[in-house]
Amino acid sequence: MVTISDVAKAAGVSKAAVSYALSGSKKVSEKTREKILNVATELNYIPNKNAMILRSGKTHKVGLFITYFSGSYFMYLTESISKACELDGYNLDVHIVKCHNAQDMISEILYSNIDIAIVQYRFNQKDEKYLADTIFQKGKSIVFLASANCYDHASGVVINNIGGFAQMADYLYETGHRKIVYLGGFENTDERERYEGLKKGLKRHNADIYDIWDYADTDPNEWVGFQITNSHCKKLTTIPDAICCVNDPIAIGCIKALKSVGYNVPRDISVTGFDDLIPAKLCGYKLTTMTNPVGEMGKLAVAEGIRLLDPKESGKYTVIDSHLEKGETVAIRA
């Protein structure tokens, strides 16, 4: 079996130079690196990754920690993080976890053999700080995608859910809608923030949410939107002006249910979503929604994670705004 010593001898360099060349270090010139890599290829040398990790203390791996993987949001998020990792010489591992406290998450991260943790999970502020400090002490970095805070050694990169839904509330009110229903859940951070955003936007107009169509702790998909809307339609005594849905799949299911019982969208009832991802592009009509710049969030999260590997760097909080995408599912009411 060819060893690193064999490559060093054939290339006429030290074992340290071979190690630097294989790891991409700038401690060797580009000319020397190319020579070493050519020799390694000729000798069919296969690097021992475990040995390289032990020597450098780095795995060049990013871990994305999420609670479930479903729908276009997580597909876009994972793809954007994967591409950013590739450009920066990192590999991506995806971990689907069920953590009840910060200690559980610390265990998941430390046993995953990664350098950078990107966490789509919100803890209370005390637990988040404990998590951030512990991961920093272990020589790793952490970026939160569902936190309202940043810390000395951890960054937050989030979508402006509250501002986005407040903007949607403004648009609905300005187009003459007064009886506005919220169709969504309250189980995760995005859902709760979007509900708060709708309330905040309506409050600016001295108005409030007309009704709440909630669903149980479940994946907010098209079928759920259809079922919940269909159930409420059978009990309606007053027709709402608009149904503001927590995401696009819920909105698409809602529209199908409304049409199935004879309502016209948007003439009878307007419907809005949030995300403007694949479901909105393929539904056959232009849905009124808010864009979700999830690709930008993924790239920023990787950049922050790499930056924070330098212990002298401090965490920062970045909020990425969404914008209104006007479509065919909102009417202008008198």
Side-chain angles (χ1 to χ4, degrees):
M1 182 176 178
V2 179
T3 67
I4 193 170
S5 298
D6 297 327
V7 176
K9 184 177 180 180
V13 297
S14 67
K15 289 194 294 184
V18 176
S19 180
Y20 292 145
L22 295 175
S23 65
S25 171
K26 295 181 179 178
K27 292 183 178 180
V28 293
S29 68
E30 196 59 42
K31 184 178 179 180
T32 301
R33 185 196 322 280
E34 186 176 348
K35 176 185 177 182
I36 293 171
L37 293 178
N38 287 337
V39 170
T41 302
E42 289 170 6
L43 295 178
N44 198 26
Y45 172 68
I46 301 174
N48 185 328
K49 288 195 173 183
N50 288 329
M52 292 172 67
I53 289 169
L54 287 172
R55 285 195 299 270
S56 69
K58 299 298 181 184
T59 66
H60 286 273
K61 291 197 324 190
V62 173
L64 171 62
F65 296 83
I66 54 181
T67 52
Y68 62 88
F69 193 102
S70 177
S72 56
Y73 169 82
F74 286 105
M75 184 192 76
Y76 272 99
L77 177 65
T78 305
E79 183 181 28
S80 65
I81 291 174
S82 178
K83 286 181 177 178
C85 286
E86 186 178 347
L87 289 172
D88 287 300
Y90 284 79
N91 293 315
L92 174 66
D93 289 348
V94 179
H95 303 260
I96 300 176
V97 297
K98 293 293 182 185
C99 294
H100 301 289
N101 52 52
Q103 192 61 54
D104 288 346
M105 183 61 79
I106 289 169
S107 297
E108 291 283 351
I109 292 171
L110 295 184
Y111 283 110
S112 63
N113 204 26
I114 59 168
D115 295 332
I116 300 166
I118 299 175
V119 178
Q120 174 89 36
Y121 201 93
R122 177 179 283 188
F123 300 95
N124 62 52
Q125 192 168 357
K126 180 181 177 181
D127 280 352
E128 276 186 351
K129 187 177 187 312
Y130 171 61
L131 173 57
D133 291 344
T134 304
I135 296 304
F136 170 72
Q137 290 165 9
K138 297 297 183 179
K140 304 178 187 298
S141 69
I142 185 167
V143 179
F144 294 107
L145 299 185
S147 173
N149 308 287
C150 70
Y151 303 92
D152 291 342
H153 306 293
S155 290
V157 180
V158 298
I159 302 295
N160 190 358
N161 288 304
I162 293 176
F165 252 55
Q167 188 179 346
M168 183 64 79
D170 288 339
Y171 177 62
L172 288 173
Y173 196 89
E174 290 162 4
T175 49
H177 299 81
R178 298 295 178 268
K179 297 190 287 291
I180 299 172
V181 168
Y182 170 74
L183 200 174
F186 299 90
E187 292 300 321
N188 62 51
T189 303
D190 286 338
E191 291 174 336
R192 292 191 294 272
E193 287 184 344
R194 290 173 191 182
Y195 168 74
E196 291 300 323
L198 184 61
K199 282 186 66 176
K200 179 180 178 180
L202 290 174
K203 190 175 181 180
R204 291 200 286 246
H205 304 283
N206 297 315
D208 201 355
I209 296 174
Y210 174 71
D211 198 3
I212 297 170
W213 294 358
D214 188 13
Y215 49 76
D217 180 15
T218 185
D219 179 19
N221 55 43
E222 187 176 320
W223 177 238
V224 171
F226 182 92
Q227 284 185 307
I228 298 299
T229 304
N230 191 53
S231 172
H232 280 276
C233 280
K234 295 174 181 176
K235 300 177 286 186
L236 284 179
T237 55
T238 303
I239 301 175
D241 294 332
I243 303 174
C244 194
C245 299
V246 72
N247 66 17
D248 292 343
I250 290 285
I252 293 165
C254 171
I255 290 170
K256 289 182 177 179
L258 291 172
K259 290 181 177 180
S260 72
V261 293
Y263 289 109
N264 179 280
V265 178
R267 186 186 63 211
D268 300 323
I269 304 174
S270 296
V271 178
T272 67
F274 194 109
D275 283 337
D276 197 29
L277 300 177
I278 289 176
K281 307 299 185 186
L282 299 179
C283 63
Y285 47 83
K286 188 169 175 55
L287 180 68
T288 298
T289 187
M290 298 297 301
T291 61
N292 188 342
V294 63
E296 183 181 351
M297 182 171 72
K299 287 189 290 186
L300 278 173
V302 174
E304 279 299 293
I306 294 172
R307 183 179 68 83
L308 289 173
L309 287 174
D310 182 345
K312 298 189 294 293
E313 295 288 341
S314 299
K316 66 180 182 180
Y317 188 61
T318 305
V319 180
I320 305 173
D321 287 325
S322 58
H323 68 267
L324 178 65
E325 192 70 34
K326 296 179 183 178
E328 305 166 346
T329 59
V330 170
I332 307 297
R333 309 211 181 278

